[in-house]
Amino acid sequence: MQKLLVAADESRLNDFLYRSIPDCFKVITIQNKEELPAHNDAAALFILTDHTLDFFPLPADFQHIPVFIHAMNESFDASNMTGCVVRINAWPGFLRYPLLEISSPFEDISPAEHLLESIQWPFNRVADQAGMITARVIAMIVNEACMAVQQNVSSKEEIDIAMKLGTNYPYGPFEWAEKIGAQNIYSLLMRLSASDPRYSPATEMLKILQTPA
């Protein structure tokens, strides 16, 4: 039986386990880098915390297996990394989506691709940029909704209803923001707006998102 090491809080671990993992794999949770050497025969490592880089540099035994890290706001600096390191989106709920977005500065990530195929996770490799694709789109939808509220166009509740009924979205923009976390969305937009002003967050975004509907 192959071991999958997962560093995650309870919520993200539940998201990870939402898809059934084949019986030939055993999921083992860890809390920190110090626990890694006890599992040097692992098939893959998933670091799904908000402090991903605390695990680097990895011990030598982990530089030859696929390593999946949660890193949304940056394409990471690969200068102190070896092996096959891949970025994924572990924002709350996103690991439950049917198609996993992956990105990496490394050209050859075939070990990671083979691992995902083995655990039956459909994936799509996208450009190695902050937010990848889905998170960028949703962050902008939430931002536009905040601007509408800021300009007194409509209320948060009405916008959520309109977007679900009018576009068949699974959640309204403010429902999405509540699930993902206002600070996560705001931080991504600030990172993106540093090079593209189109992503500038609404001036009252955090206030709007943190005010009950």
Side-chain angles (χ1 to χ4, degrees):
M1 182 174 291
Q2 300 185 75
K3 292 193 286 188
L4 302 178
L5 297 189
V6 181
D9 58 25
E10 183 177 359
S11 174
R12 284 174 175 154
L13 179 61
N14 288 337
D15 287 343
F16 181 88
L17 297 174
Y18 176 77
R19 293 190 179 97
S20 297
I21 304 294
D23 292 339
C24 58
F25 290 94
K26 180 180 181 180
V27 176
I28 298 176
T29 59
I30 61 172
Q31 301 300 318
N32 50 55
K33 180 179 179 179
E34 286 65 38
E35 296 183 42
L36 289 176
H39 305 285
N40 58 9
D41 57 343
L45 170 63
F46 290 80
I47 308 174
L48 309 180
T49 74
D50 291 324
H51 306 286
T52 294
L53 297 182
D54 289 350
F55 284 78
F56 290 88
L58 293 170
D61 290 333
F62 289 84
Q63 295 175 9
H64 306 289
I65 66 171
V67 178
F68 301 86
I69 70 172
H70 170 58
M72 290 305 298
N73 290 357
E74 299 290 343
S75 56
F76 58 82
D77 178 7
S79 61
N80 69 336
M81 301 181 184
T82 58
C84 183
V85 182
V86 172
R87 291 172 58 227
I88 62 175
N89 180 359
W91 271 0
F94 276 66
L95 291 177
R96 297 177 180 240
Y97 286 11
L99 187 67
L100 184 72
E101 288 181 356
I102 65 173
S103 66
S104 178
F106 300 109
E107 182 175 350
D108 181 13
I109 58 169
S110 54
E113 294 172 335
H114 293 158
L115 187 283
L116 292 176
E117 291 168 355
S118 297
I119 63 174
Q120 301 171 18
W121 280 23
F123 64 90
N124 181 36
R125 183 171 186 177
V126 300
D128 185 37
Q129 58 188 5
M132 291 180 265
I133 296 176
T134 304
R136 282 181 174 228
V137 172
I138 291 178
M140 282 298 285
I141 290 171
V142 172
N143 197 34
E144 291 296 323
C146 287
M147 289 181 180
V149 170
Q150 189 172 300
Q151 296 167 8
N152 296 315
V153 173
S154 188
S155 69
K156 293 167 65 174
E157 183 179 10
E158 289 172 343
I159 290 172
D160 275 347
I161 292 172
M163 292 301 288
K164 286 189 289 186
L165 297 180
T167 64
N168 200 33
Y169 282 1
Y171 305 109
F174 298 104
E175 291 175 325
W176 247 321
E178 184 175 356
K179 290 178 178 294
I180 295 168
Q183 191 60 54
N184 285 332
I185 294 172
Y186 181 78
S187 296
L188 176 58
L189 289 172
M190 287 296 291
R191 167 66 181 83
L192 295 171
S193 65
S195 57
D196 189 338
R198 293 179 301 171
Y199 290 98
S200 298
T203 55
E204 298 183 17
M205 168 178 266
L206 288 178
K207 178 182 177 181
I208 292 169
L209 293 182
Q210 293 168 355
T211 301

